[in-house]
Amino acid sequence: MVRAIRGAIQVEANDRDEILSGVTELVTEVMGRNRLTTDDVISVIFTATTDLTAEFPALAARKLGFHDVPLICASEIDVPGSLPRVVRLMAHVDVDRPRHEIQHVYLRGAVALRVDIAQ
């Protein structure tokens, strides 16, 4: 079964190391909470707010071993008043679990984006 997992993290600054560290934390949490391996992952879409330009978020996933997984980065819509410095992801995974068992992950300031489902 194909499931989609959402996640987001707010990073401190438009800094390469900060982006890589934050995305590493986010991807690690998504994988751990959902008991996934990279073999379970079909693809991942990363978006970053327009104020994050120092590095591609997908690089962090590559460094975690996502070598054969299609990854892509895009810019998030620049909505006035929206939360700054946020990297979001949508991972498509192949798992035999019902939708209600999927854990979406919102970390740091990004918890404010989805207080209804943030753990």
Side-chain angles (χ1 to χ4, degrees):
M1 232 179 294
V2 176
R3 298 288 183 217
I5 302 173
R6 288 291 318 271
I9 190 164
Q10 185 178 41
V11 298
E12 292 296 318
N14 183 28
D15 173 80
R16 180 180 192 271
D17 292 336
E18 180 65 24
I19 293 168
L20 292 176
S21 173
V23 175
T24 297
E25 180 182 348
L26 176 61
V27 171
T28 300
E29 282 292 316
V30 167
M31 298 295 284
R33 290 185 192 183
N34 289 285
R35 303 178 316 275
L36 300 170
T37 68
T38 55
D39 287 339
D40 299 320
V41 181
I42 297 166
S43 64
V44 183
I45 300 167
F46 292 95
T47 66
T49 50
T50 57
D51 52 2
L52 294 178
T53 58
E55 187 55 83
F56 292 104
L59 180 59
R62 290 277 182 242
K63 290 178 176 244
L64 287 171
F66 285 64
H67 303 295
D68 297 330
V69 177
L71 307 173
I72 193 166
C73 298
S75 292
E76 190 68 34
I77 298 170
D78 192 15
V79 175
S82 63
L83 194 64
R85 301 178 320 280
V86 175
V87 177
R88 293 171 173 85
L89 69 74
M90 184 180 322
H92 299 95
V93 299
D94 183 9
V95 293
D96 291 326
R97 274 180 249 142
R99 187 173 294 169
H100 71 272
E101 289 184 13
I102 297 298
Q103 292 193 37
H104 305 283
V105 178
Y106 292 82
L107 302 173
R108 303 184 193 172
V111 169
L113 296 172
R114 291 299 304 266
V115 293
D116 58 324
I117 62 172
Q119 292 89 22

